[in-house]
């Protein structure tokens, strides 16, 4: 997603609903609507170095047309817009001009991406399928057009890159589009495959994912890993630590319907790093220790600032069976746990982080294993 205040964006997009006349042109077997394209004297006049295509998701459940209208109207105030917005059942709306810098993912990405594409979010499975096919094919065709590899999030500094890749390798705190894709059952591996091969005009995979050849099995060297963690209740005190997870009030960290401002996590073997997102500060730095008495280096969070997101990565000791952190959360504004997260993004759910930004996180569960136990 682009650099916008989400709550302001939701309100503004909802208010931006109107009907325009369509001037369309054909691009990659999809129709491009130019009604909301910036004029030649709007947006950046700087040309791009053609090294990456950036894949975004909007992070708001709103029509793609509304997003395009908003970016067209507010680009100079928000300093945020991209070249294309995809949604509304596979439609493409142009905002910025290809080959000129958009303002979507920080200075490096903006300078190196001739095309950045937003995927609008919908709850409809049928609409998502149409949107996804168009999104994938537009990412792929844009990469081919500019001589950019169609590999997604590779270690190379050229290719199709998610906003999460930019965050992890360059700058920022956004994690799209994987959380949204996962909510519709699309994994990172599937997305990578689809962008590389694309879809036919009938919506079928051009090169379906092959059945992998079984790898020779190695003797297992799986060790039991236990994780201990605790949340600090905002305005009160540290709550009792929790080991792994369970049922009932002792099976999670936190107090239902409450706000929390600090978190510590530690493991009995291997290592874990973690960070929190607060409503006041955004994503805070990574923490590598777990000590509630060390609020500088041993705790994630700032006293008095409300946590609404948590992210973590577990590192397995060399020679042992690979394991990772599986974790999930609830918020004070919803019933039931949100989707399960895995630190390498391998399960469907809110894979990029636990929580719902803008909603206080009121409970957290974690365990370390080679598969999810939720």
């Amino acid at each position: 997603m682009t650099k916008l205040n989400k709550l302001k964006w939701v309100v503004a997009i909802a208010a931006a609903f109107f009907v325009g006349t369509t001037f369309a042109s054909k691009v990659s077997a999809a129709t491009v609507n130019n009604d909301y394209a910036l004029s030649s004297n709007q947006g950046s006049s700087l040309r791009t170095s053609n090294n990456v295509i950036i894949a975004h998701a909007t992070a708001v459940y709103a029509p793609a047309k509304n997003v395009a209208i908003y970016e067209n109207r507010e680009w100079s105030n928000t300093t945020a817009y991209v070249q294309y917005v995809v949604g509304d059942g596979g439609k493409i709306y142009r905002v910025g001009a290809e080959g000129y810098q958009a303002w979507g993912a920080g200075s490096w990405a903006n300078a190196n991406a001739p095309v950045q594409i937003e995927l609008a979010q919908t709850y409809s499975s049928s609409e998502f399928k149409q949107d996804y096919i168009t999104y994938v094919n537009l990412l792929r065709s844009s990469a081919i057009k500019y001589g950019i590899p169609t590999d997604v999030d590779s270690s190379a500094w050229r290719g199709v890159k998610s906003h999460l890749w930019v965050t992890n390798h360059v700058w920022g705190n956004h994690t799209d589009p994987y959380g949204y894709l996962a909510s519709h059952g699309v994994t990172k591996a599937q997305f990578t495959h689809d962008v590389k091969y694309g879809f036919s005009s009938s919506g079928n995979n051009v090169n379906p994912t092959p059945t992998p050849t079984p790898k020779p099995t190695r003797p297992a060297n799986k060790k039991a890993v236990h994780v201990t963690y605790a949340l600090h209740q905002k305005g009160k005190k540290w709550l009792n630590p929790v080991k792994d997870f369970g049922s009932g009030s002792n099976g999670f960290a936190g107090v239902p319907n409450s706000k929390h401002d600090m978190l510590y996590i530690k493991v009995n073997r291997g290592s874990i790093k973690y960070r929190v997102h607060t409503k006041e500060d955004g994503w805070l730095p990574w923490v590598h220790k777990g000590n509630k008495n060390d609020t500088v280096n041993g705790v994630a969070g700032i006293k008095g600032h409300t946590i609404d997101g948590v992210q973590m990565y577990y590192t397995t000791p060399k020679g042992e069976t690979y394991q990772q952190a599986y974790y999930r959360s609830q918020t004070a504004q919803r019933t039931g746990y949100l989707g399960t997260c895995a630190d390498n993004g391998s399960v469907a759910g809110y894979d990029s982080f636990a929580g719902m930004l803008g909603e206080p996180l009121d409970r957290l569960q974690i365990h370390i294993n080679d598969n999810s136990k939720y």
Side-chain angles (χ1 to χ4, degrees), residues 130-369:
Q130 298 175 73
D131 295 346
Y132 180 70
I133 290 171
T134 300
Y135 179 62
V136 163
N137 282 348
L138 184 57
L139 288 166
R140 184 173 186 274
S141 64
S142 297
I144 292 171
K145 177 179 179 180
Y146 288 96
I148 296 171
T150 56
D151 300 318
V152 176
D153 287 356
S154 70
S155 58
W157 287 78
R158 301 190 76 242
V160 177
K161 304 298 184 184
S162 67
H163 203 162
L164 174 62
W165 187 95
V166 177
T167 293
N168 289 339
H169 294 83
V170 186
W171 170 89
N173 58 17
H174 296 294
T175 57
D176 49 302
Y178 292 118
Y180 172 61
L181 294 181
S183 73
H184 283 281
V186 176
T187 64
K188 289 183 181 181
Q190 184 65 53
F191 179 58
T192 298
H193 173 273
D194 292 342
V195 172
K196 189 168 185 65
Y197 296 104
F199 292 92
S200 67
S201 58
S202 62
N204 295 318
N205 287 88
V206 173
N207 183 7
T209 307
T211 302
T213 302
K215 295 181 180 179
T217 59
R218 297 179 179 178
N221 185 26
K222 183 179 177 181
K223 306 293 185 181
V225 181
H226 298 291
V227 56
T228 302
Y229 53 104
L231 282 164
H232 184 276
Q233 191 173 7
K234 185 175 178 180
K236 295 187 179 181
K237 63 179 181 178
W238 280 103
L239 302 170
N240 291 333
V242 176
K243 183 177 180 180
D244 302 326
F245 80 102
S247 59
S249 59
N250 293 322
F252 58 83
V255 175
N257 303 311
S258 296
K259 298 177 181 179
H260 302 86
D261 53 9
M262 291 185 287
L263 166 72
Y264 76 82
I265 306 173
K266 55 186 179 180
V267 291
N268 68 321
R269 64 185 305 109
S271 62
I272 193 165
K273 69 174 184 177
Y274 56 101
R275 64 177 180 171
V276 299
H277 184 284
T278 72
K279 295 175 69 174
E280 295 83 358
D281 312 290
W283 285 106
L284 297 174
W286 290 101
V287 176
H288 298 266
K289 300 178 181 179
N291 181 358
K292 69 179 182 180
N293 297 316
D294 181 359
T295 57
V296 176
N297 299 308
V299 168
I302 297 174
K303 192 171 185 179
H305 292 198
T306 302
I307 293 173
D308 58 1
V310 175
Q311 190 176 34
M312 64 191 75
Y313 292 94
Y314 173 75
T315 300
T316 306
K318 185 177 181 179
E320 294 185 10
T321 301
Y322 174 72
Q323 300 188 77
Q324 60 181 314
Y326 290 92
Y327 57 108
R328 63 181 185 173
S329 68
Q330 283 192 219
T331 83
Q333 296 173 218
R334 298 170 188 258
T335 301
Y337 281 98
L338 299 172
T340 299
C341 303
D343 63 24
N344 73 346
S346 62
V347 300
Y350 295 87
D351 248 339
S352 299
F353 64 90
M356 187 67 66
L357 301 188
E359 300 180 12
L361 183 146
D362 72 348
R363 67 197 86 178
L364 178 69
Q365 289 187 322
I366 312 170
H367 70 283
I368 310 293
N369 215 303

